[in-house]
Amino acid sequence: MDPVYLDHAATTPCDPRVVEALRPYFYEAFGNTLSPHAFGRRSRKAVEDAREILASFLGAQPTEIVFTSSATESNNHVILGVARALKSEGRHLVVSAIEHHCVLEPARRLMQEGCEATFVSPDKDGIISPTAIEQALRPDTILIAVAHANNEIGTIQPIADIGRIARKRGIYFLVDAAQTIGHIPVSVTGIPCDLLSFSAHKFYGPQGVGALYMRKGIDCPPLLLGGDHERGSRAGTLNVPGIVGLGEAVRLCGPLMSDEMAAQTALRDRIINAVLKEVPGTTLNGHRTLRLPNNAHFSFEGVLGEDLVAALDMAGIAVSVGSACTSGQLTPSHVLKAIGLSDAQALGALRISVGRWTTAKEVDYFLEQLKLKIKQLRG
């Protein structure tokens, strides 16, 4: 059997159509977008075309899109920038306790510098209650940060309800949409957010490029200084091939999304149903239905997740215990601890995420090997 890739939540393969679209911008149209000559103009047009595609996809204005290197950069930009811009109005942030570390770490950095943060815990299914968010707000709250869907357990959050609370109180709202763009509908008109971040490599685009939606009028100074790129919002020569690839990945996602959601949900449910039925001592983590179409996440009694990942890797199957950014750490996931799992349950976790080209045959092979490897590891 060919290698089976079931770790699409960590990164996706670049769609061949995306590769073809970005290829010329490495060696033919390689100009700097700020250069006034023909090479620069061609690159600049390609970037602006991608910006138009992305803005239309999100329901935003092109001037509200800032290209970055990743969702990590975008989130750092927002959290550190908003705190600097609004320090005279308040020094308090409200953050979901199960955010990616690229949100948690800058928030903690600000706490070392005199800010305060309230980390709102989820329920046992990983859902952040809008009521809990509202109760955490203070007169000096300047920012709320909640991811659209959790990157480990796949639970989709009631973002629209939280956004309405933020909008009513006049508080900036940051949504990390790294796991949802291209996988489920995302619109800044449907989600009343002020800032939204994502990375191209999560939806079949190239690695090393992302974007930030910044609603017109938001006060958030640049994180990177030293140039006039992105209308002064971010210094640094633009990754033109990456941006072209991001635009093409977005363009492809639109017409494919409905069919892909249905196909991946069917594979996801096939995995969940089979594992819960056929593997004793298994717990499903995250909400049973309010979860990403491609995400299944379990805890297995008597098994270490890292050992199971290694055993499946030997069988040619790629899965993970959770976020790739914390892979290799021997401490329990903060997400799994936050939803009430014990250390043993958290360390016995496994995340399976299917993708655009995952087949039923691959899922069957995975299920067969999973049962075998768990039996072997349990001795």
Side-chain angles (χ1 to χ4, degrees):
M1 181 105 185
D2 291 335
V4 176
Y5 186 76
L6 298 176
D7 197 18
H8 291 81
T11 195
T12 57
C14 200
D15 191 297
R17 293 164 290 187
V18 171
V19 175
E20 287 306 308
L22 64 82
R23 190 189 305 275
Y25 294 90
F26 280 113
Y27 57 89
E28 294 175 7
F30 54 83
N32 188 312
T33 57
L34 292 188
S35 296
H37 47 60
F39 287 88
R41 292 197 301 272
R42 183 174 175 184
S43 291
R44 188 161 58 251
K45 182 181 185 307
V47 166
E48 295 311 315
D49 287 347
R51 200 187 309 273
E52 291 273 357
I53 292 170
L54 181 51
S56 177
F57 184 79
L58 291 175
Q61 297 299 315
T63 54
E64 296 176 315
I65 303 298
V66 179
F67 289 116
T68 66
S69 66
S70 61
T72 292
E73 181 194 322
S74 297
N75 289 332
N76 274 258
H77 180 166
V78 168
I79 294 167
L80 300 175
V82 166
R84 290 199 303 268
L86 303 183
K87 61 183 179 181
S88 63
E89 300 179 28
R91 303 282 281 169
H92 180 243
L93 290 72
V94 173
V95 181
S96 153
I98 57 172
E99 292 302 288
H100 191 280
H101 286 286
C102 68
V103 171
L104 296 176
E105 291 306 316
R108 290 178 181 134
R109 172 67 62 84
L110 289 174
M111 293 172 70
Q112 296 173 0
E113 298 174 3
C115 288
E116 295 182 74
T118 300
F119 298 97
V120 177
S121 296
D123 66 14
K124 62 181 180 60
D125 292 321
I127 293 178
I128 301 295
S129 163
T131 300
I133 292 289
E134 189 163 28
Q135 290 172 345
L137 299 179
R138 304 185 335 198
D140 61 340
T141 303
I142 56 174
L143 180 70
I144 300 169
V146 181
H148 194 181
N150 184 261
N151 64 303
E152 292 190 32
I153 59 176
T155 297
I156 298 172
Q157 303 295 348
I159 292 297
D161 292 337
I162 296 171
R164 282 188 283 271
I165 292 169
R167 189 64 52 86
K168 181 177 67 175
R169 297 284 291 268
I171 299 169
Y172 288 174
F173 182 33
L174 166 64
V175 174
D176 181 340
Q179 293 291 330
T180 54
I181 292 278
H183 299 285
I184 63 175
V186 178
S187 166
V188 297
T189 55
I191 302 172
C193 62
D194 302 291
L195 304 130
L196 183 139
S197 61
F198 57 94
S199 294
H201 74 100
K202 299 292 190 180
F203 55 96
Y204 312 98
Q207 296 180 0
V209 63
L212 170 65
Y213 159 75
M214 189 183 302
R215 185 170 60 83
K216 185 178 180 180
I218 293 297
D219 191 359
C220 183
L223 177 68
L224 302 181
L225 305 174
D228 293 329
H229 303 83
E230 292 302 270
R231 300 178 178 85
S233 294
R234 178 190 186 266
T237 301
L238 293 180
N239 175 4
V240 177
I243 290 169
V244 170
L246 186 157
E248 182 66 7
V250 167
R251 190 188 67 78
L252 291 171
C253 282
L256 294 173
M257 190 182 301
S258 179
D259 288 344
E260 287 191 347
M261 286 176 62
Q264 292 176 21
T265 298
L267 291 174
R268 177 201 73 187
D269 289 347
R270 184 174 183 172
I271 293 169
I272 290 174
N273 292 335
V275 172
L276 292 178
K277 180 180 179 181
E278 300 171 19
V279 182
T282 299
T283 302
L284 176 69
N285 299 319
H287 197 280
R288 179 62 181 82
T289 56
L290 296 177
R291 67 188 308 129
L292 291 167
N294 69 340
N295 175 291
H297 194 288
F298 304 98
S299 288
F300 299 102
E301 292 180 10
V303 175
L304 282 175
E306 293 283 358
D307 292 344
L308 187 52
V309 169
L312 289 168
D313 186 38
M314 293 293 290
I317 300 169
V319 291
S320 67
V321 293
S323 173
C325 300
T326 56
S327 181
Q329 294 184 9
L330 298 180
T331 55
S333 158
H334 71 286
V335 174
L336 301 182
K337 292 293 290 181
I339 63 173
L341 270 61
S342 66
D343 284 1
Q345 289 173 315
L347 291 171
L350 190 75
R351 181 183 68 183
I352 304 99
S353 45
V354 302
R356 179 169 288 172
W357 296 287
T358 304
T359 66
K361 182 179 179 181
E362 290 176 326
V363 166
D364 288 343
Y365 177 67
F366 160 73
L367 292 170
E368 169 195 311
Q369 290 297 314
L370 177 72
K371 290 182 284 186
L372 175 63
K373 300 305 181 184
I374 288 178
K375 184 176 181 180
Q376 291 174 343
L377 289 169
R378 285 174 173 169

